[in-house]
Amino acid sequence: MTAAVEFAPWTDPTETPLIRFERVVKRFGDFTAIEPLNLSIYRKEFFALLGPSGCGKTTLMRMLAGFEAPSEGTITIGGRDMAGIPPNKREVNMMFQSYALFPHLSVWDNIAFGLKRGDMSKEEIAARVDDMLRLTRLDRFAKRKPHQISGGQKQRVALARALAKAPKLLLLDEPLGALDKKLRQDTQFELMDIQEKTETTFVIVTHDQEEAMTVASRVAVMDNGKIVQVDTPPKIYETPNSTYVADFIGDVNLLHGRAEIRADGLASLAWAEGATPIKGTAGEGLQGGEASFVIRPEKVTITASKPKDRTNVVKGKILDIAYLGNLSTYHVELPGGQVLKAQTANNRRLSRRDFTWEDEVYLSWTDTAGLVLAR
Amino acid sequence: MNFARRTLIGIPYIWLLLLFLVPFGIIFKISLSDYAVSIPPYTPTLDLAQGWAGLRDFLSQLDFENYIWLSEDDLYWKAYLSSVKIACISTLLTLLVGFPVAYGMAKSAPEWRPMLMMLIILPFWTSFLIRVYAWIGILSNEGFLNQFLLWTGVISDPLQIMNTSTAVYIGIVYTYLPFMILPIYATLERLDGSLLEAAIDLGCSRTKAFWLVTVPLSRAGVIAGCFLVFIPALGEIVIPSLLGGSGTLMIGKVLWEEFFSNRDWPVASAVAIILLLLLVVPIMLFQRNQEKAQEAEG
Amino acid sequence: MKQFSWFNATALTLGFAFLYIPMIILVVFSFNDNRLVTVWAGFSTRWYVELFQDEAFLDAAWVTLRVAFSSSTIATVLGTMAAYVMVNGGKFFGRTLFSGMIYAPLVMPEVITGLSLLLLFIAIGLDRGVITIVLAHTTFAMCYVSVVVSSRLVNFDRSLEEAALDLGCTPFQAFKLVTLPLIAPAVISGWLLAFTLSLDDLVIASFTAGPSATTLPMKIWSSVRLGVSPKINALSTILILLVTIGVIAASITSKRSIARALRDEQMADQSA
């Protein structure tokens, strides 16, 4: 494997996507669940659909599985139009949110269930099931029934069952939602590992932004039946194309005002009467006018005296301190009433903390640390 | 796929149309026909071979004569009124017997409850007819109850209970008691014990807490139980026939006799239609109560 | 705050005494060596012997069993279909009418159901006998079955069926391999309920039976109208015994399965 070449088929114009949504619309009665939408997903991708509940991400996935038909537009998988093809005739398997393990069948029989529907011989099926059990480290539990194993094991059985048929595409509906936080983090890495080993295309639906950022090669952020932004996790985090995305992914500070494009390519934002305009990178399509300045709390430096080398400096008073162990977040109130958050890493002991409540402090950031986005 | 779906819907649908809805139309039609000494014992019969003329002929002979006749004969009025009265009184009596039992069950130790439930359900599975029959031996003049009362010296002459409405009340209470107990028990069992503790903590006596908390919160179960007893009791035949004797008038019994003894099918059909009209109101009220209870549960 | 309360104990004792004493008397006096049911004259099993020599009773019992078995089986198939349509069928023409027809027979007085079916059978010229009773019983029992089965189907996780489709099943295979095994307990209790209702029914059978077929309840009815009879006591005892055994067996099985579920839960906890 040429590890040096980055995996980014979406940047290669010669690559044909595995899945293509073309002007797909889905309506349920009067309600429009999916607005006209185009999307391409490539082979071997680990693609995440991220959004709050009711944003249409599950509908999108159910259309891929064949449980819902689009009201308009076409979905192609591997170049084949999927219209009219029932779920049982698609080379797509799904891992259900509730796992949907058949309670009357053992772990072994659950995994073998899909294989038995094809024309495989008994020996082939047994060999495949054993492979899957080994892949998901379930060898010891083959004979157990679903209610005799723990939540994490159930999740692995569901994964093994969906992967057993070696589908072109695996759909995962909130696969880790039922697990507790610690187990979820371990399982995320396991999922990535299995995805890499099996070289299957994964599409995951989740409302957990951390999960999407951890596992996915690309993330589509959805809102109200629309895809707002599709990009790699670092790009989504560093250069969100809207305040919605910025706010949905991670913690963010927002300041509203009027923007102007400067000659040096940066944008400046007049955010309060009499205050020096703040500078930041201009967001996509920013024309000036009403805009918002967004900056991540960890990019804001907090100091007791006014820093001399920075242009973006504001003065405020500490309102609240949230101590998170590895980090501390300071809520600082500006004279105009806005509250900005600044985050610092706690690499010193608590007793020697620099700041306390009501302290007057200066917040500062570099010219390119924040983004100015059109509203 | 579509064919399979159509078959799945179609078979039970057609079965119910043919064996439930069509017979219903026939009853209605015959109730508008005239009595005749023939087989079947009513005219007119619809003769489709005669085409439109036959249909017109058929329709022109239908009338509300049987209903008018029913309304003029006070036997039927009395039968309807006495059915309603008997059903009401026995529902009330069943509630009086059933509520304490349901309450006692809900307050018993949890490990006893499945056992008690089973004991309530068991009679429900045994033959209805046999359970009514058991009371003949108890209530008759030389029956066990009279034997017992004579032996204790409470009475000197046997009481006449058999063939009175008292016997009918006992029979209805006995056979429908499980229908009253189960829904009340279901609501009482779900009642959060801390509600009562809260009421007592806020200054209620135990009795007052019972009336102010337990009773209002068990209302849905009480109403459901009352309807489950009232609706079948109204159309009851077996109990008044076996325990009530000739003196007890109930509409189901009248229908039965009109049909089997007098062979007057048109009148029997008219009685059936009116019985149904009588039931529509309580059934709809019951439906509403159930829906409300379900909504309240979320 | 669990206290022993005299009120509760009395209510329970009196309530259960009221429910069970009549049946106990019935059973005890079936072993009475006297033609007068209410006067004890020593232990005897002669009424059982007479009962088993009475051809008419045996015939009626045979008719009843045949009717109950066939009507409950057909009713289970139709009722399960109806329940499936009601819960998962989506929208179709006349859905309200359909659900009305399912629920109406549950509250319909038996006299009306019986009378209307009789009038139908006469109108279409169907000879009355075992077949007409089976048709009548199937019709009202399927509604009970569909209520029992749909209460299970409502709680049934639809994603299990979708998972089966996703793994390559046709809709029919998904029903056979996944849905049916999982709703089986409800289907079985529906069948048992239908069977008992048919065994027990007097009114509808009386209307639809005609002269050629007599069921056991009809036979009991005609002999009871003439007064108490020790033979009926013997028959009642046998029926009560059968039902008691059935219900106790069912409750023991369910208790076992609860114990097993508890054990499984512990196993799952340990393996976590």
Side-chain angles (χ1 to χ4, degrees), chain A residues 62 65 67 87-88 90 92-94 96 98 100-104 110 113-115 117 141 144 147-150 153 161-162 165, chain C residues 157-171 173-174 177-179 181-182 260-261 264-265 267-269 271-272:
Chain A
R62 289 174 63 82
F67 296 122
N88 49 323
R90 294 186 181 201
V92 174
N93 285 123
M94 181 155 169
F96 288 80
S98 60
L101 298 181
F102 305 126
H104 58 304
N110 260 288
F113 190 92
L115 300 172
R117 305 278 83 73
F141 306 106
R144 297 243 186 128
H147 56 268
Q148 293 170 324
I149 57 178
S150 70
Q153 289 157 356
R161 185 179 72 177
K165 294 187 83 174
Chain C
D157 183 1
R158 277 307 295 277
S159 64
L160 288 174
E161 243 173 37
E162 289 184 343
L165 292 175
D166 186 64
L167 292 166
C169 281
T170 62
Q173 281 176 323
L177 294 171
V178 175
T179 316
L182 291 172
R260 204 173 51 222
D264 289 346
E265 241 165 62
M267 205 168 172
D269 286 346
S271 70

Side-chain angles (χ1 to χ4, degrees), chain A residues 136-161:
Chain A
T136 49
R137 297 180 291 109
L138 285 163
D139 324 47
R140 288 193 301 129
F141 306 106
K143 289 202 179 65
R144 297 243 186 128
K145 291 276 179 71
H147 56 268
Q148 293 170 324
I149 57 178
S150 70
Q153 289 157 356
K154 280 184 197 157
Q155 188 268 344
R156 300 212 298 271
V157 178
L159 182 64
R161 185 179 72 177

Side-chain angles (χ1 to χ4, degrees), chain C:
Chain C
M1 257 220 347
K2 262 282 105 58
Q3 284 174 343
F4 183 78
S5 144
W6 281 108
F7 175 80
N8 294 343
T10 319
L12 284 181
T13 316
L14 288 179
F16 283 100
F18 177 63
L19 277 178
Y20 280 91
I21 284 177
M23 280 196 262
I24 292 169
I25 293 176
L26 203 65
V27 171
V28 170
F29 279 80
S30 72
F31 296 102
N32 182 8
D33 190 15
N34 193 337
R35 186 158 289 280
L36 291 170
V37 172
T38 52
V39 182
W40 183 256
F43 181 84
S44 157
T45 51
R46 63 184 265 212
W47 303 113
Y48 290 86
V49 176
E50 276 196 25
L51 182 70
F52 280 103
Q53 284 164 351
D54 191 328
E55 287 280 331
F57 268 108
L58 293 180
D59 279 349
W62 179 231
V63 168
T64 309
L65 282 178
R66 265 157 57 206
V67 167
F69 190 82
S70 19
S71 67
S72 58
T73 308
I74 307 171
T76 305
V77 175
L78 290 173
T80 307
M81 286 169 87
Y84 198 82
V85 168
M86 287 301 300
V87 176
N88 300 334
K91 280 186 198 152
F92 56 89
F93 180 74
R95 194 180 198 281
T96 323
L97 176 66
F98 186 70
S99 82
M101 289 196 298
I102 297 243
Y103 287 105
L106 303 179
V107 285
M108 189 69 71
E110 290 164 316
V111 255
I112 298 182
T113 313
L115 179 63
S116 67
L117 281 164
L118 168 66
L119 296 175
L120 171 79
F121 295 144
I122 287 171
I124 60 172
L126 191 62
D127 276 341
R128 281 177 290 151
V130 171
I131 293 190
T132 48
I133 314 178
V134 170
L135 286 176
H137 281 183
T138 304
T139 306
F140 85 96
M142 73 178 271
C143 301
Y144 283 89
V145 173
S146 101
V147 168
V148 172
V149 173
S150 58
S151 71
R152 174 74 187 88
L153 272 177
V154 165
N155 297 320
F156 182 79
D157 183 1
R158 277 307 295 277
S159 64
L160 288 174
E161 243 173 37
E162 289 184 343
L165 292 175
D166 186 64
L167 292 166
C169 281
T170 62
F172 180 71
Q173 281 176 323
F175 181 79
K176 195 183 77 183
L177 294 171
V178 175
T179 316
L180 194 58
L182 291 172
I183 61 168
V187 173
I188 292 170
S189 26
W191 187 88
L192 279 174
L193 183 62
F195 189 81
T196 330
L197 287 170
S198 169
L199 274 190
D200 205 17
D201 169 65
L202 165 71
V203 177
I204 294 174
S206 298
F207 276 104
T208 51
S212 63
T214 305
T215 64
L216 204 54
M218 287 163 72
K219 183 78 193 134
I220 297 175
W221 171 256
S222 58
S223 86
V224 161
R225 295 204 88 174
L226 306 172
V228 284
S229 129
K231 240 198 275 184
I232 300 290
N233 277 22
L235 177 63
S236 309
T237 305
I238 295 171
L239 291 177
I240 292 173
L241 195 73
L242 287 178
V243 168
T244 312
I245 292 171
V247 172
I248 290 176
S251 88
I252 289 175
T253 342
S254 75
K255 213 172 264 171
R256 282 238 180 96
S257 65
I258 290 170
R260 204 173 51 222
L262 277 177
R263 216 171 44 234
D264 289 346
E265 241 165 62
Q266 283 165 357
M267 205 168 172
D269 286 346
Q270 280 159 12
S271 70

